Amino acid sequence: MSVLEGRYRGVLRLLPASYRDVWEEEMVATFLDSVATDDVDEAEYLDEFGRPSWSEVGSVVTLAIQLRLGGHDAPPRAFVWGEAVRTVGLVGLLTFALALPMDLAQLLWIAGGLPLPAATREALAGSPPPDLWATAWIAAGALWLVAYLLLVMDRRRASLLLALLGLGFAVGQATVASAELAAGRAPATSLLTPWILLLISVVVVMTLAAFHRQAPPVRRRPWLLALAVGAVLSCVPGVLVLMQPIDMSVLDWPGLLCVGWIVAALVHLADPARRAASASLALVLLCAPVLLSRIGSLLEYLATGYQSVAPLTVSLGIVEAVVVLALAIPLAVQTMRRLPRPPVAAVPPVPTQGRR
Amino acid sequence: MEVSTRGVTEPAFFVLTALADAPRHGYGILQEVGELSEGRVRLKVGTLYGVLERLVGEGLVEPDREEIHQGRLRRYYRLTERGSDSLAADIERQSANVRAASVRLHAWRPATAGGTA
């Protein structure tokens, strides 16, 4: 086997085993035919040093996504995985989008001169006007919100474009935080939040690949309802933070995510038969970013000596992380049992009389 | 026989067309699609086999025979009757689009020449 063939077979490993059992040899033969040349020197060079082009690799990656994260006509297991990843993508976009109503509620509350405790008013009077990052944060929230709405309205390419712009903000924030650390103006732990946010943003954008041509359209009504309910609910903690001294706040964003996840997990564990396997799998997958943001924020509080939060926030945060982990394990076991079996390889029949 | 009126993707359309006159193997299809589209569509191997798997699954294309060429497997594919009907339906759909567009284009006048609101 030439190095080129070995490398192409390596790329094909992205495809499900059942698919490779049927198509791998043929794909390899077609690929090698497509790069074959009459020039002996060039052929030898290709054999020893050649690599599949990026466009060839891209076509295999696209095929792997379509096969593993299946749509309408996919085998049951691939369809469940596809639906689960699409749900994770929608929940991720929705979560980022909900930062906007929360920020806007705070701004409007302050701008509208609505009642504020004396301590909060003093804190706001002493703080500088909204800086560039605060403005950028609101703009990023708007981008994620529009990306979410476009996805729900089945405008997938436009949604991806907006989500990539939203990701650009996360990249910018992480880059600035890294530069601050390099210049010695910030502790190493200040990198945690922006880099975790960046990581989660990248994952959310990647999940949008599951909305391919074969993927069914998003069900609009429940996801628009989720946005409306989420927007109202996210305004409440935003305003509550203003209504009490900052150091009394126990309602941090990762905590809210944990509580939301715990409630959903309990609902699923209580009556799994009534829940779609894809929804349970989505919950299991969502456990990772929820835990990551919870643990990252706790580490940051720890490093800053709990200056910005109440001890209760930290204690509750630890409890939240433990409960999420404790529920994630049985939920994962239960979900894996409910997943359909992998498909068996089915070679297309070939008329034997034509075989040479 | 029921034939989808949704139309097929451009790669699938060219793969069906490439198989219309004779069975072909994977590389043969790639070459034929390049020629049919005058070089505009250059299918990658991953794309081709994604399309082929779907067409075989839908019964529009079926394996014809297998050959070993220079120690490697070559599986030939041919159009089924259902595939032929589907291609004919898609040709008709695209032709209707072209006719409608042609009529509109011939009726077109520059904005300065006036027209209906």
Side-chain angles (χ1 to χ4, degrees):
Chain A
M1 184 194 306
S2 69
V3 172
L4 176 63
E5 181 181 337
R7 284 174 173 158
Y8 189 67
R9 284 185 188 275
V11 175
L12 293 185
R13 293 189 69 78
L14 291 169
L15 303 171
S18 58
Y19 185 90
R20 273 184 285 131
D21 286 346
V22 178
W23 301 95
E24 180 171 349
E25 292 311 314
E26 221 184 312
M27 290 180 80
V28 169
T30 302
F31 168 71
L32 293 176
D33 278 343
S34 72
V35 296
T37 170
D38 292 334
D39 185 322
V40 178
D41 291 339
E42 194 183 341
E44 278 181 10
Y45 179 84
L46 269 178
D47 276 354
E48 284 187 43
F49 303 105
R51 289 176 186 278
S53 66
W54 285 110
S55 53
E56 284 292 358
V57 174
S59 75
V60 175
V61 170
T62 305
L63 179 59
I65 290 170
Q66 288 179 1
L67 292 170
R68 290 186 183 277
L69 308 176
H72 290 300
D73 48 359
R77 189 183 176 89
F79 182 70
V80 167
W81 270 99
E83 284 293 275
V85 172
R86 286 187 280 276
T87 303
V88 169
L90 281 161
V91 171
L93 283 184
L94 177 63
T95 308
F96 286 145
L98 290 182
L100 183 67
M102 191 174 178
D103 289 341
L104 288 181
Q106 288 186 343
L107 285 176
L108 290 175
W109 192 275
I110 295 165
L114 292 168
L116 283 173
T120 308
R121 204 177 302 119
E122 281 170 24
L124 288 170
S127 63
D131 61 5
L132 186 65
W133 275 120
T135 313
W137 189 248
I138 289 174
L143 284 174
W144 291 115
L145 178 61
V146 179
Y148 176 79
L149 285 172
L150 285 169
L151 190 59
V152 172
M153 304 308 283
D154 224 24
R155 303 285 300 275
R156 299 176 184 186
R157 281 179 185 273
S159 171
L160 177 62
L161 184 69
L162 269 288
L164 283 170
L165 289 175
L167 176 63
F169 276 101
V171 171
Q173 200 181 24
T175 308
V176 169
S178 303
E180 292 280 308
L181 174 69
R185 289 194 292 268
T189 46
S190 66
L191 288 184
L192 272 172
T193 299
W195 277 93
I196 287 175
L197 187 68
L198 175 59
L199 180 66
I200 295 174
S201 306
V202 168
V203 171
V204 167
V205 170
M206 285 172 72
T207 60
L208 299 186
F211 291 88
H212 46 72
R213 194 180 163 85
Q214 280 78 42
V218 176
R219 289 190 302 144
R220 287 183 189 173
R221 190 172 289 182
W223 287 104
L224 287 176
L225 188 66
L227 176 64
V229 172
V232 172
L233 290 180
S234 66
C235 289
V236 175
V239 173
L240 280 180
V241 166
L242 292 177
M243 293 301 290
Q244 56 192 329
I246 301 300
D247 63 352
M248 288 297 288
S249 167
V250 293
L251 292 163
D252 64 347
W253 188 245
L256 285 171
L257 295 180
C258 284
V259 171
W261 190 92
I262 290 166
V263 170
L266 286 173
V267 168
H268 271 254
L269 284 167
D271 192 2
R274 289 187 60 191
R275 313 288 162 206
S278 60
S280 302
L281 183 58
L283 259 183
V284 173
L285 297 175
L286 282 167
C287 167
V290 167
L291 262 185
L292 194 63
S293 61
R294 176 70 285 173
I295 292 169
S297 59
L298 284 176
L299 289 174
E300 202 166 316
Y301 297 155
L302 184 70
T304 54
Y306 310 119
Q307 286 169 0
S308 59
V309 290
L312 185 57
T313 309
V314 178
S315 311
L316 267 180
I318 294 169
V319 172
E320 287 156 7
V322 171
V323 173
V324 168
L325 203 58
L327 290 175
I329 294 166
L331 186 65
V333 171
Q334 191 187 76
T335 304
M336 291 306 146
R337 283 187 188 145
R338 292 180 64 203
L339 280 183
R341 290 176 176 277
V344 179
V347 183
V350 178
T352 47
Q353 70 272 20
R355 198 164 182 150
R356 293 172 197 172
Chain B
M1 183 180 296
E2 192 183 328
V3 175
S4 168
T5 52
R6 242 181 350 148
V8 294
T9 61
E10 189 178 50
F13 175 80
F14 276 115
V15 170
L16 290 173
T17 308
L19 295 174
D21 62 340
R24 287 190 162 82
H25 53 75
Y27 180 56
I29 297 172
L30 288 186
Q31 285 181 308
E32 192 65 15
V33 168
E35 277 182 34
L36 285 168
S37 65
E38 296 176 336
R40 192 172 54 79
V41 178
R42 295 247 169 243
L43 288 184
K44 297 298 167 192
V45 178
T47 311
L48 171 67
Y49 281 91
V51 171
L52 267 182
E53 191 225 8
R54 205 158 52 248
L55 294 178
V56 169
E58 290 172 3
L60 305 183
V61 161
E62 65 187 2
D64 180 73
R65 63 182 190 275
E66 288 179 353
E67 287 180 4
I68 301 300
H69 175 75
Q70 295 179 346
R72 298 196 180 285
L73 173 72
R74 272 187 171 176
R75 188 177 288 146
Y76 285 71
Y77 294 89
R78 66 181 174 221
L79 207 58
T80 62
E81 201 176 316
R82 187 178 160 83
S84 168
D85 290 344
S86 175
L87 181 60
D90 212 57
I91 290 168
E92 181 51 42
R93 189 182 61 81
Q94 292 195 39
S95 301
N97 290 346
V98 169
R99 283 195 298 274
S102 299
V103 168
R104 287 295 171 97
L105 187 61
H106 283 118
W108 179 78
R109 295 285 180 273
T112 50
T116 55

